[in-house]
C-alpha cells in the first residue's frame, strides 16, 4: 500500500520532466545566451518581475477565492444534497467534504491562471514603479503626462484583476449557496437567501461598487487619451459634460458601496437595487446630457467652443512627435539658378542619387552575388569621406542564404557554410559606360578603396543569419570562392557559447531539436555555437519593450563591419496627442544598437537621454544603456536620422504645421505628401537621403528630406529636412515657399516629362523594341533658394535581368531635358561647366592575391564622368542621338538645333 503513492509520485515527476524539459532547456539556454552577450541582468530583472508579480497575485487570488469559497461552504451540510429534476429524477450532489476539495482546487487553478496573466504584465508594473516624470502637465486635470503613460495602465491592471476576482468569488459563492439551498427563488422569481449568504454577497457587491468608483475616476482621466469629435482628447462636451459626470458616477458608486454595506448588516433588501438603479441613471444621464451639449451648444458654434481644446491638441501633438522644435525657414521662390549657383553647390550635384534601391539590388544580384548561396537582401544609404569630399553611397551586404545551397546537409548548413562575406558599396550617382554602377567596394576577394579598409569581411550576424552554426569544429568553414577553388577559414571571434562538453551538447541538442549535435564527431572541445544570429531576432530578444526601425544598415568602421539598428520608445497614451495609428501618439528615436557582424557584440546606446520613457527603462534595467557620447567616433560618423520616425513626423507635420486653431479647424493650409502616378504605377513619395548644402548653411551635410504639396493641389508648398551630422543630429527644418507663388510640384513635373515631345516618343520607341523602361524615383534637389528635379531612367533588355542606367531627366522651372549623364543634362540647362566631373577612385584588394572570380563583374572606375573630354563626348553623343530621333519624327527645327549643339560640343573637344 505504501508503494502505490510512491510509484504515483515518481510517475508524475517523470511526466513533468518529459513535458517541461524542453521549456526548462530553452530557459537555461536563454540564460547562457544573455550572459554571453553581456545582458544577463536584463534577463534577471524580467525574471524577478515575472516571479514577483506571479507570487503576489497568485497568493492574493488564492487566499481571496479560498476565503470566499470557504465562507460559502459553511452553509453546506454534512449530508449530500439531492437535486430533483422536473421529471422527478433525483441527482445526488457532492457532500461538504467533496465540495471543499473541489472548491479549493478551483481556487488554486483560477489563481494560477490569474497569476500567469499578471506575470505577463511585468513591464506595466516596472514602468509604474520606476516612472520618470515628463515635466509636462495636461491642460485639463493638471497631471503630469507620466500619470497617463505609466500610472494609469498599472491602475487599470489592478482594477481589472480585482474586479475579475470579485466576480469569480461571487459566482463561486453563489453556486455553493445555490447548491446548499441558502439561495433559492420563491414565488416564481423572488430571490431568497439566508442571512449569512446575504451578508457575504452584499459585501462582495460593496467591493465591486468600490472598484466601479475607481473605474469611473480613472475614466475621467481616460478621456484625455481618447478621440472626441474634432480633436483627439476631450472637447467642450467632454470637459463640461462627460468628465463631471464621471466624477458624479464615482460618487454614486461610493454611495452604492455604502448602501451595500447597509444591506449586508440589516434585513433590508432594497439598498443594492437602489444603488444599481442610481448607477445606471447617472451613467445614462451623463451621456444624454453630454450629447445634448454637443448638439445644441457645441455644434452651432463649434469653432468658437472648441478653439481652446484644438489648441491643446495642437500643442500636445507637436510635443509628442518633437515637432515643436522644427525650425522654419521661408524661401522666396523667385531665385533664378545660374551656372555659378550650380557650381557653388557641387557637393549637392555630386551626391544626387541616380540609383534606386530596387534596380541597384537587381544589378548587385546579377553581378556581385557570384554564387547561388549568396544573397543581397536590401540596399542602404550612408555617407563616407572619399578623398577630400563627403560622398553619399549605397551599400548592400553579401549574406549567406543556406536555403540556396546546392547540397543541403547538416554538416553544410551548420558547420561549413557559416557566414556571409563582405559587401558591395558605391557612389549614388556614378555609372560606367555600360550603364552599370561604379563600386568602391566589391568583388571576391574583397576589393576596396584606401579610405575604406576592411580587415575582417566575415558576416556571422546579419539579416539572413537566422539559424545556429557551430564554429571551431574539425570541419573547415567556407570563406569565399576563388576561381575553381574555395578559400576556407576558422572563426576566431568572441561570440558564441562553448559546446565541447557532453552536457552542453545535450542541452543544445534538446534546445534545437538536433540529435546530430550529440552524435557528431566534428565538434571539438573548443567548439562554439552561435545562435540568435539574425539581428532582428537578437535585438527583440534583448529589448522587447522597444520598437525597431524597419531598415538596419551596415557600417564600415575601423576595418570591421557593424550593424546599426535604430530603436524607438513609443506610447499611445500621451494626453491630447493625435495618434498616427493605434498605440502610437508619441515617439522618440531614443536608442541606437550596434552589433559587431563578426563577434556579435551588441551595445545599446542611449541616443535621447531627455526622453522620459527611455529614462524609465534605464532605471528598470540599470547598466543596459551606454551613453551615446561613448560610441566610437568612427561609428558616430555614420549615425543617421532613421527613416521610420521621419516618415511618421512628416505625416503628422503635414497637418500640424498649422498652429492657429482657426486655420487648423478649417484645414486652410493642409499639406500632403505628393502622389506620383505614371505608367500604371503610383504611390506617395517616400523620404530619401541626400548630401546637400541647406539654404543658409556653409557646409554640405547628410540629410533626409520629403516635399509637400497643398491638399488636392499639385504645386509645391515646401519641404522638410532631417539633419544627421554632428551637433545638428535630429534637427528638423522646414522650408516653405510663398503661398502666392506657384512652384511646380512633383506630380506636375512627371506630367510634363510624360508629355515632352522629345522624351515621350523615345520612351515609346524603347518599349516597342522590347526593352522594359523602368522609371526611377523623382527627386527634388534644392539648390540655393530654388530647386531642380532629377529622375533617372533605366532600361532592361528583353529577356535580360540587369537594369542599366540609360538616361537622366532634369527639370528646372519650365524646362525638361534628358541626357545620358547628369552632367550633360545640367550643361544643357545652365551651360557647360555647371557640373564638375567625378574623380577616379582606385581600388585595392582586401584579401589575398588569388584570381578574382568577379574581375569583370562591375568596373569600379567611372568612365563617362571621369574626365572633361569624356563628358563632352557624352554630350556630343546625346545631341547626335536626339538629332536622329528628330529627323525620324520630321521635327526639323529640333534637328537643326541638335546639330548646332553637336557642333559646339565637337569644337570644345578640339580645343582640349
Amino acid at each position: 500500500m505504501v508503494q502505490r503513492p510512491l510509484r504515483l509520485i515518481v510517475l508524475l515527476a517523470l511526466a513533468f520532466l518529459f513535458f517541461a524539459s524542453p521549456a526548462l532547456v530553452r530557459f537555461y539556454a536563454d540564460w547562457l545566451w544573455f550572459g554571453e552577450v553581456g545582458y544577463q541582468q536584463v534577463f534577471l530583472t524580467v525574471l524577478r518581475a515575472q516571479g514577483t508579480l506571479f507570487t503576489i497575485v497568485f497568493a492574493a487570488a488564492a487566499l481571496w477565492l479560498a476565503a470566499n469559497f470557504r465562507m460559502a461552504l459553511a452553509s453546506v451540510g454534512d449530508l449530500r444534497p439531492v437535486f430533483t429534476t422536473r421529471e422527478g429524477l433525483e441527482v445526488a450532489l457532492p457532500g461538504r467534504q467533496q465540495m471543499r476539495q473541489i472548491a479549493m482546487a478551483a481556487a488554486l487553478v483560477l489563481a494560477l491562471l490569474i497569476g500567469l496573466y499578471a506575470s505577463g504584465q511585468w513591464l506595466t508594473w516596472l514602468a509604474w514603479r520606476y516612472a520618470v516624470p515628463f515635466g509636462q502637465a495636461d491642460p485639463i486635470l493638471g497631471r503630469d503626462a507620466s500619470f497617463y503613460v505609466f500610472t494609469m495602465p498599472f491602475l487599470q491592471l489592478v482594477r481589472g484583476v480585482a474586479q475579475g476576482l470579485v466576480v469569480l468569488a461571487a459566482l463561486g459563492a453563489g453556486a455553493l449557496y445555490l447548491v446548499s439551498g441558502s439561495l433559492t427563488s420563491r414565488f416564481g422569481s423572488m430571490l431568497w437567501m439566508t442571512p449569512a449568504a446575504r451578508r457575504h454577497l452584499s459585501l462582495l457587491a460593496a467591493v465591486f461598487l468600490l472598484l466601479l468608483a475607481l473605474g469611473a475616476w480613472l475614466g475621467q482621466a481616460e478621456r484625455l487619451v481618447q478621440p472626441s469629435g474634432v480633436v483627439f482628447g476631450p472637447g467642450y462636451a467632454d470637459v463640461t459634460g462627460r468628465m463631471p459626470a464621471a466624477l458624479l458616477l464615482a460618487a454614486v458608486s461610493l454611495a452604492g458601496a455604502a448602501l451595500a454595506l447597509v444591506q449586508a448588516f440589516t434585513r433590508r433588501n432594497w439598498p443594492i437595487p437602489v444603488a444599481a438603479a442610481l448607477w445606471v441613471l447617472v451613467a445614462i444621464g451623463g451621456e444624454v446630457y453630454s450629447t445634448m451639449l454637443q448638439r445644441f451648444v457645441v455644434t452651432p458654434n463649434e469653432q468658437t467652443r472648441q478653439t481652446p481644446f484644438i489648441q491643446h491638441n495642437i500643442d500636445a501633438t507637436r510635443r509628442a512627435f518633437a515637432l515643436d522644435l522644427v525650425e522654419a525657414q521661408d524661401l522666396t521662390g523667385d531665385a533664378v539658378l545660374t551656372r555659378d549657383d550650380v557650381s557653388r553647390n557641387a557637393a549637392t550635384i555630386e551626391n544626387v542619387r541616380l540609383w534606386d534601391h530596387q534596380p541597384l539590388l537587381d544589378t548587385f544580384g546579377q553581378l556581385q552575388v557570384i554564387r547561388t548561396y549568396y544573397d543581397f537582401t536590401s540596399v542602404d544609404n550612408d555617407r563616407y569621406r572619399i578623398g577630400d569630399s563627403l560622398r553619399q553611397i549605397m551599400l548592400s551586404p553579401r549574406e549567406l542564404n543556406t536555403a540556396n545551397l546546392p547540397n543541403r546537409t547538416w554538416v553544410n548548413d551548420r558547420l561549413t557554410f557559416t557566414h556571409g562575406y563582405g559587401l558591395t558599396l558605391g557612389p549614388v550617382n556614378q555609372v560606367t559606360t555600360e550603364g552599370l554602377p561604379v563600386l568602391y567596394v566589391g568583388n571576391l576577394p574583397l576589393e576596396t578603396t584606401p579610405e575604406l579598409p576592411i580587415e575582417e569581411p566575415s558576416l556571422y550576424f546579419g539579416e539572413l543569419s537566422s539559424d545556429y552554426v557551430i564554429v571551431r569544429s574539425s570541419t573547415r568553414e567556407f570563406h569565399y570562392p576563388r576561381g575553381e577553388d574555395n578559400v576556407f577559414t576558422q572563426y576566431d571571434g568572441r561570440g558564441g557559447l562553448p559546446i565541447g562538453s557532453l552536457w552542453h551538447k545535450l542541452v543544445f541538442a534538446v534546445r534545437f531539436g538536433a540529435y546530430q549535435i550529440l552524435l557528431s564527431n566534428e565538434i571539438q572541445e573548443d567548439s562554439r555555437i552561435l545562435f540568435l544570429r539574425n539581428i532582428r531576432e537578437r535585438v527583440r530578444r534583448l529589448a522587447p519593450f522597444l520598437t525597431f526601425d524597419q531598415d538596419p544598415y551596415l557600417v564600415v568602421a575601423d576595418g570591421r563591419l557593424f550593424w546599426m539598428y535604430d530603436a524607438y520608445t513609443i506610447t499611445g497614451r500621451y494626453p491630447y496627442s493625435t495618434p498616427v495609428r493605434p498605440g502610437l501618439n508619441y515617439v522618440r528615436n531614443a536608442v541606437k544598437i550596434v552589433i559587431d557582424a563578426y563577434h556579435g557584440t551588441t551595445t545599446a546606446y542611449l541616443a535621447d537621454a531627455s526622453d522620459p520613457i527611455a529614462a524609465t527603462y534605464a532605471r528598470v534595467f540599470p547598466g543596459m544603456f551606454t551613453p551615446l557620447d561613448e560610441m566610437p567616433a568612427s561609428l558616430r560618423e555614420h549615425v543617421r536620422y532613421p527613416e521610420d520616425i521621419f516618415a511618421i513626423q512628416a505625416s503628422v507635420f503635414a497637418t500640424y504645421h498649422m498652429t492657429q486653431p482657426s486655420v487648423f479647424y478649417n484645414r486652410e493650409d493642409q499639406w500632403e505628401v505628393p502622389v506620383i502616378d505614371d505608367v500604371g504605377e503610383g504611390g506617395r513619395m517616400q523620404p530619401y537621403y541626400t548630401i546637400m548644402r541647406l539654404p543658409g548653411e556653409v557646409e554640405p551635410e547628410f540629410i533626409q528630406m520629403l516635399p509637400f504639396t497643398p491638399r488636392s493641389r499639385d504645386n509645391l508648398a515646401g519641404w522638410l529636412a532631417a539633419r544627421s551630422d554632428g551637433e545638428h543630429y535630429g534637427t528638423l527644418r522646414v522650408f516653405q515657399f510663398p503661398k502666392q507663388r506657384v512652384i511646380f510640384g512633383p506630380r506636375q513635373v512627371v506630367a510634363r516629362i510624360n508629355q515632352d515631345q522629345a522624351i515621350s516618343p523615345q520612351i515609346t520607341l524603347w518599349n516597342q523594341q522590347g526593352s522594359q523602361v523602368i522609371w526611377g524615383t523623382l527627386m527634388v534637389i534644392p539648390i540655393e533658394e530654388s530647386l531642380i528635379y532629377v529622375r533617372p531612367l533605366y532600361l532592361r533588355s528583353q529577356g535580360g535581368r540587369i537594369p542599366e542606367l540609360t538616361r537622366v531627366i532634369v527639370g528646372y522651372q519650365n524646362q525638361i531635358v534628358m541626357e545620358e549623364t547628369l552632367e550633360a543634362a545640367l550643361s544643357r540647362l545652365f551651360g557647360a561647366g555647371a557640373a564638375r566631373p567625378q574623380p577616379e577612385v582606385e581600388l585595392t584588394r582586401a584579401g589575398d592575391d588569388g584570381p578574382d572570380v568577379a574581375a569583370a563583374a562591375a568596373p569600379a572606375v567611372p568612365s563617362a564622368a571621369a574626365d572633361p573630354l569624356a563628358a563632352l563626348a557624352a554630350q556630343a553623343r546625346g545631341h547626335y542621338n536626339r538629332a536622329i530621333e528628330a529627323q525620324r519624327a520630321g521635327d526639323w527645327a529640333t534637328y537643326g538645333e541638335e546639330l548646332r549643339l553637336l557642333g559646339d560640343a565637337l569644337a570644345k573637344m578640339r580645343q582640349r
Side-chain angles (χ1 to χ4, degrees):
M1 293 296 293
V2 178
Q3 294 180 347
R4 181 177 293 178
L6 183 61
R7 189 182 300 117
L8 180 61
I9 292 173
V10 171
L11 289 174
L12 288 175
L14 290 174
F16 173 79
L17 287 175
F18 176 79
F19 289 106
S21 59
L24 292 174
V25 168
R26 177 177 289 272
F27 174 84
Y28 177 64
D30 286 347
W31 163 261
L32 294 176
W33 180 81
F34 271 91
E36 184 255 320
V37 295
Y39 289 92
Q40 208 163 62
Q41 191 60 37
V42 174
F43 187 82
L44 284 174
T45 299
V46 174
L47 188 63
R48 278 197 302 264
Q50 291 176 330
T52 302
L53 270 181
F54 174 80
T55 302
I56 293 173
V57 174
F58 171 77
L63 289 173
W64 167 264
L65 293 174
N68 278 275
F69 293 169
R70 191 177 185 84
M71 189 180 301
L73 281 168
S75 63
V76 180
D78 293 328
L79 298 177
R80 298 181 64 179
V82 177
F83 176 75
T84 304
T85 66
R86 291 182 178 180
E87 291 77 14
L89 296 176
E90 293 185 351
V91 180
L93 298 177
R96 182 175 183 176
Q97 189 62 30
Q98 293 172 309
M99 294 182 74
R100 177 180 289 112
Q101 294 174 352
I102 294 172
M104 293 304 105
L108 288 175
V109 170
L110 291 172
L112 177 67
L113 295 175
I114 295 171
L116 289 173
Y117 166 76
S119 68
Q121 308 301 311
W122 59 270
L123 185 58
T124 301
W125 176 55
L126 289 177
W128 165 75
R129 185 178 174 188
Y130 294 99
V132 173
F134 278 67
Q136 301 158 1
D138 78 82
I140 305 300
L141 301 177
R143 295 193 179 100
D144 188 86
S146 61
F147 174 81
Y148 302 92
V149 176
F150 303 124
T151 304
M152 276 190 63
F154 177 70
L155 293 179
Q156 294 284 25
L157 172 65
V158 172
R159 183 185 66 87
V161 170
Q163 276 189 335
L165 287 173
V166 171
V167 170
L168 288 173
L171 291 175
L176 290 171
Y177 284 129
L178 188 64
V179 168
S180 67
S182 299
L183 176 64
T184 60
S185 62
R186 291 185 177 182
F187 308 109
S189 60
M190 288 185 60
L191 283 175
W192 176 89
M193 62 188 78
T194 63
R198 182 175 62 184
R199 181 168 56 253
H200 184 190
L201 296 178
S202 296
L203 288 173
L204 289 176
V207 175
F208 187 78
L209 285 165
L210 287 175
L211 292 172
L212 286 181
L214 175 62
W217 180 75
L218 291 174
Q220 180 200 30
E222 194 74 25
R223 290 286 174 188
L224 278 94
V225 291
Q226 292 177 345
S228 174
V230 176
V231 296
F232 188 90
Y236 182 89
D238 298 294
V239 173
T240 58
R242 292 184 178 89
M243 293 177 73
L247 283 182
L248 180 60
L249 190 62
V252 168
S253 299
L254 290 174
L259 289 173
L261 289 176
V262 170
Q263 181 162 331
F265 295 102
T266 65
R267 298 178 61 87
R268 299 182 179 90
N269 293 322
W270 56 264
I272 291 180
V274 168
L278 283 174
W279 193 92
V280 172
L281 180 65
V282 172
I284 296 176
E287 186 59 36
V288 170
Y289 173 69
S290 302
T291 302
M292 293 177 65
L293 272 179
Q294 179 66 36
R295 178 170 296 182
F296 298 111
V297 178
V298 177
T299 302
N301 309 281
E302 188 171 53
Q303 182 174 341
T304 303
R305 295 289 186 182
Q306 299 284 32
T307 290
F309 308 105
I310 293 174
Q311 189 65 62
H312 297 331
N313 173 251
I314 292 173
D315 295 341
T317 303
R318 287 172 63 87
R319 282 196 306 270
F321 292 98
L323 300 177
D324 56 328
L325 303 176
V326 173
E327 302 170 352
Q329 183 173 336
D330 293 328
L331 302 176
T332 63
D334 297 323
V336 177
L337 286 182
T338 65
R339 182 178 65 180
D340 292 339
D341 293 329
V342 176
S343 298
R344 279 197 305 272
N345 289 270
T348 299
I349 299 301
E350 291 170 2
N351 288 284
V352 173
R353 197 188 80 200
L354 299 182
W355 284 103
D356 272 9
H357 291 77
Q358 193 56 51
L360 189 60
L361 192 62
D362 293 343
T363 303
F364 286 165
Q366 293 301 309
L367 300 180
Q368 286 288 312
V369 162
I370 314 302
R371 293 290 187 268
T372 57
Y373 40 77
Y374 285 130
D375 209 348
F376 293 102
T377 59
S378 63
V379 174
D380 298 309
N381 289 270
D382 203 350
R383 72 285 199 195
Y384 289 84
R385 191 160 293 279
I386 307 296
D388 296 329
S389 60
L390 187 67
R391 301 301 306 274
Q392 183 182 355
I393 60 87
M394 300 179 78
L395 61 89
S396 185
R398 184 186 290 105
E399 297 201 61
L400 184 73
N401 189 346
T402 53
N404 293 334
L405 286 174
N407 184 23
R408 296 290 305 277
T409 65
W410 184 82
V411 171
N412 277 346
D413 285 0
R414 310 301 181 191
L415 306 181
T416 304
F417 293 89
T418 57
H419 60 279
Y421 182 87
L423 72 159
T424 55
L425 181 153
V428 295
N429 72 327
Q430 290 180 254
V431 296
T432 67
T433 52
E434 296 83 11
L436 302 177
V438 170
L439 297 182
Y440 291 164
V441 179
N443 301 331
L444 294 174
L446 208 61
E447 294 181 346
T448 70
T449 65
E451 294 89 347
L452 296 172
I454 300 177
E455 299 169 3
E456 181 49 74
S458 303
L459 293 167
Y460 282 87
F461 300 85
E463 295 183 83
L464 285 182
S465 308
S466 57
D467 297 324
Y468 73 90
V469 294
I470 298 173
V471 295
R472 298 181 192 170
S473 67
S474 59
T475 301
R476 295 187 302 170
E477 292 181 53
F478 171 79
H479 201 32
Y480 62 85
R482 184 176 62 183
E484 297 299 323
D485 246 337
N486 291 328
V487 176
F488 295 89
T489 187
Q490 186 178 61
Y491 182 71
D492 193 32
R494 299 187 297 270
L497 291 166
I499 197 175
S501 68
L502 179 62
W503 167 247
H504 284 128
K505 287 181 181 180
L506 177 62
V507 167
F508 289 109
V510 174
R511 167 67 174 81
F512 295 107
Y515 67 88
Q516 297 93 337
I517 294 177
L518 198 58
L519 302 179
S520 175
N521 294 324
E522 306 292 324
I523 300 176
Q524 304 177 124
E525 289 187 6
D526 62 341
S527 295
R528 302 180 74 83
I529 183 169
L530 308 179
F531 61 101
L532 285 177
R533 299 187 303 131
N534 183 289
I535 58 173
R536 298 178 190 274
E537 297 176 2
R538 194 175 187 86
V539 297
R540 283 178 172 82
R541 183 65 63 89
L542 283 176
F545 44 85
L546 296 176
T547 301
F548 294 92
D549 194 85
Q550 299 180 49
D551 186 31
Y553 58 101
L554 199 65
V555 172
V556 180
D558 301 324
R560 307 184 64 82
L561 302 178
F562 299 87
W563 289 98
M564 191 83 74
Y565 214 147
D566 286 285
Y568 308 111
T569 52
I570 67 169
T571 183
R573 303 190 58 82
Y574 191 88
Y576 257 121
S577 175
T578 301
V580 293
R581 63 172 182 262
L584 176 54
N585 72 349
Y586 173 98
V587 62
R588 290 292 186 274
N589 176 215
V591 178
K592 292 185 179 292
I593 299 178
V594 175
I595 304 167
D596 189 309
Y598 185 71
H599 296 294
T601 307
T602 305
T603 307
Y605 293 96
L606 187 60
D608 187 355
S610 64
D611 173 38
I613 299 180
T616 297
Y617 293 153
R619 292 186 65 195
V620 172
F621 304 102
M624 180 177 185
F625 300 113
T626 302
L628 189 63
D629 294 339
E630 296 183 19
M631 179 184 287
S634 57
L635 288 173
R636 186 73 181 268
E637 292 174 354
H638 299 283
V639 167
R640 70 182 193 185
Y641 200 72
E643 296 178 72
D644 286 358
I645 189 174
F646 183 69
I648 290 171
Q649 289 174 311
S651 67
V652 175
F653 191 75
T655 299
Y656 284 88
H657 71 278
M658 298 179 287
T659 56
Q660 296 299 320
S662 58
V663 177
F664 184 94
Y665 177 82
N666 294 303
R667 296 296 196 269
E668 297 175 17
D669 193 24
Q670 176 81 46
W671 291 352
E672 62 185 11
V673 177
V675 176
I676 297 179
D677 186 3
D678 56 0
V679 202
E681 300 178 2
R684 295 200 178 275
M685 290 187 69
Q686 298 299 315
Y688 54 90
Y689 292 101
T690 188
I691 291 178
M692 64 168 291
R693 184 169 63 84
L694 291 173
E697 299 294 332
V698 177
E699 296 295 330
E701 56 186 291
F702 188 65
I703 68 162
Q704 190 177 180
M705 65 170 292
L706 185 67
F708 293 106
T709 59
R711 184 179 58 178
S712 302
R713 293 171 58 191
D714 293 332
N715 60 288
L716 201 64
W719 51 280
L720 183 67
R723 308 171 74 177
S724 293
D725 291 342
E727 62 182 8
H728 300 300
Y729 174 82
T731 302
L732 300 181
R733 184 179 293 184
V734 62
F735 298 88
Q736 304 176 82
F737 292 104
K739 295 180 178 61
Q740 66 273 15
R741 182 171 175 80
V742 176
I743 308 295
F744 285 130
R747 192 181 181 94
Q748 294 169 317
V749 172
V750 168
R752 296 186 61 225
I753 291 173
N754 293 335
Q755 297 167 7
D756 187 87
Q757 294 183 359
I759 298 174
S760 182
Q762 183 62 60
I763 302 300
T764 303
L765 180 63
W766 277 325
N767 283 324
Q768 289 175 349
Q769 292 175 345
S771 297
Q772 179 188 2
V773 176
I774 303 172
W775 290 98
T777 299
L778 179 72
M779 285 168 292
V780 183
I781 310 298
I783 299 178
E784 301 294 340
E785 291 205 4
S786 186
L787 51 86
I788 62 174
Y789 285 91
V790 177
R791 191 174 202 186
L793 189 148
Y794 313 92
L795 277 186
R796 181 185 278 125
S797 62
Q798 187 174 14
R801 303 178 66 181
I802 302 177
E804 299 176 1
L805 179 59
T806 303
R807 294 289 188 273
V808 178
I809 301 171
V810 179
Y812 170 65
Q813 293 185 347
N814 60 350
Q815 303 176 70
I816 301 288
V817 299
M818 182 173 72
E819 291 290 346
E820 292 188 4
T821 65
L822 176 62
E823 291 81 4
L826 293 173
S827 295
R828 278 191 65 188
L829 286 173
F830 303 106
R836 66 189 184 193
Q838 301 299 317
E840 296 185 4
V841 176
E842 182 180 353
L843 299 189
T844 59
R845 178 159 295 175
D848 59 10
D849 296 326
D852 183 0
V853 298
V861 179
S863 55
D867 57 75
L869 194 60
L872 287 170
Q875 291 182 36
R877 185 166 57 251
H879 293 311
Y880 172 77
N881 291 337
R882 282 188 294 277
I884 297 301
E885 293 167 9
Q887 183 185 39
R888 291 173 179 169
D891 185 356
W892 301 110
T894 301
Y895 175 76
E897 176 64 17
E898 291 297 337
L899 284 182
R900 185 187 66 78
L901 294 173
L902 174 60
D904 293 343
L906 292 173
K908 292 174 182 177
M909 291 175 67
R910 283 194 297 271
Q911 293 174 4
R912 292 185 178 274

